[in-house]
């Protein structure tokens, strides 16, 4: 599909990668960009249509799909990380439940709600923002890693089920980006603007997977190493 003249809906679009997706879509000539956030007043980018949306609230997801019936590209960007370990964090269950509600169930709910909308317009595309941690687990982000691994599997399943409707499902895998989520992490970080631009180009090319940086590509290669990267201490 072409981004020019498309109608794009982006979750978590008030900052970080979501904001970069909104800017990139406008720059690529999208006819309309819906920028969704829990607080629509936090969406300040000119040229977009703010939408009040919490992806963990089914009634808000359904309302968004009803109100935005012209969407041709859905970007499931909203995500949270609580920095919990499986055994060392006393609130690990609560952290995991929150992360799964947003990262996994939120993505699932949005995809299910907008699938009929996309089908009406010829299929369109869905972008699911995943992570290099879909394929391995960091001790300081174990529950987050689990939620992204589940969402990778979800993306693969959605791709199978939506193929017959002509809907492209593109999984974006990226390591650390220069956003609020990684503010306390040192080291190389990808530019969210560059990642968004790269991903939209991949959608136009019909690609089902985007490996957005060198770290992510290294992790993917490590899956077939011996021993596999995901079995090694981090």
């Amino acid at each position: 599909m072409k981004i020019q003249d498309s109608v794009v809906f982006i979750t978590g679009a008030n900052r970080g990668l979501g904001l970069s997706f909104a800017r990139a879509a406008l720059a690529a000539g999208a006819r309309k960009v819906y920028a969704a956030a829990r607080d629509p007043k936090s969406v300040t980018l000119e040229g977009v249509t703010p939408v009040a949306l919490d992806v963990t609230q089914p009634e808000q997801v359904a309302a968004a799909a009803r109100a935005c019936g012209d969407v041709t590209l859905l970007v499931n960007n909203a995500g949270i990380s609580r920095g919990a370990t499986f055994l060392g964090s006393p609130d690990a269950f609560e952290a995991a439940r929150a992360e799964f509600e947003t990262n996994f169930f939120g993505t699932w709910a949005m995809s299910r709600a907008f699938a009929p909308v996309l089908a009406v317009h010829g299929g369109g595309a869905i972008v699911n923002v995943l992570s290099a941690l879909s394929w391995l687990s960091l001790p300081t982000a174990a529950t987050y890693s689990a939620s992204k691994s589940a969402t990778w599997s979800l993306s693969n399943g959605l791709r199978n089920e939506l193929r017959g409707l002509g809907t492209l499902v593109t999984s974006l895998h990226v390591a650390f980006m220069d956003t609020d989520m990684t503010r306390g992490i040192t080291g190389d970080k990808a530019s969210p603007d560059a990642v968004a631009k790269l991903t939209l180009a991949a959608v136009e090319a019909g690609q089902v997977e985007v490996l957005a940086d060198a770290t992510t590509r290294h992790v993917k290669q490590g899956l077939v190493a011996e021993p596999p990267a995901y079995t090694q201490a981090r």
Side-chain angles (χ1 to χ4, degrees):
M1 65 168 292
K2 294 295 184 183
I3 305 303
Q4 185 166 349
D5 295 325
S6 66
V7 178
V8 184
F9 191 107
I10 305 163
T11 64
N14 56 328
R15 59 193 177 95
L17 181 59
L19 176 58
S20 292
F21 267 118
R23 284 196 292 253
L26 290 174
R31 176 163 52 88
K32 184 186 296 184
V33 176
Y34 293 108
R38 286 189 178 94
D39 179 7
K41 293 180 181 178
S42 65
V43 176
T44 59
L45 179 65
E46 292 186 7
V48 303
T49 302
V51 177
L53 175 64
D54 181 341
V55 299
T56 70
Q57 300 301 311
E59 68 281 2
Q60 293 188 26
V61 171
R66 288 194 302 268
C68 306
D70 52 351
V71 170
T72 60
L73 170 59
L74 170 65
V75 180
N76 286 313
N77 166 74
I80 63 170
S81 175
R82 294 291 172 83
T85 64
F86 288 132
L87 303 180
S89 299
D91 61 345
F93 284 176
E94 290 76 12
R97 288 189 177 101
E99 289 163 339
F100 269 81
E101 282 295 332
T102 297
N103 302 347
F104 177 76
F105 287 107
T107 296
W108 186 0
M110 289 295 296
S111 299
R112 185 168 64 173
F114 275 89
V117 175
L118 297 173
V120 166
H121 300 291
I126 297 173
V127 171
N128 289 337
V129 177
L130 304 180
S131 173
L133 297 184
S134 302
W135 298 316
L136 54 79
S137 181
L138 290 183
T140 55
T143 56
Y144 172 82
S145 302
S147 74
K148 287 298 186 178
S149 182
T151 310
W152 177 50
S153 181
L154 169 67
S155 300
N156 295 333
L158 289 172
R159 185 176 301 113
N160 291 336
E161 295 190 28
L162 293 174
R163 186 175 288 113
L165 298 177
T167 301
L168 171 70
V169 177
T170 299
S171 298
L172 165 60
H173 295 269
V174 61
F176 297 123
M177 285 185 295
D178 191 12
T179 64
D180 291 346
M181 187 179 288
T182 63
R183 182 176 297 163
I185 299 174
T186 59
D188 293 337
K189 300 177 185 179
S191 160
D193 288 340
V195 171
K197 184 177 179 180
L198 176 69
T199 304
L200 294 185
V203 170
E204 288 198 324
Q207 297 178 14
V208 299
E209 185 173 83
V210 179
L211 309 180
D213 53 52
T215 298
T216 300
R217 291 188 288 273
H218 179 73
V219 170
K220 180 70 179 294
Q221 291 173 352
L223 297 180
V224 294
E226 188 56 47
Y230 51 81
T231 66
Q232 304 306 298
R234 298 286 163 181

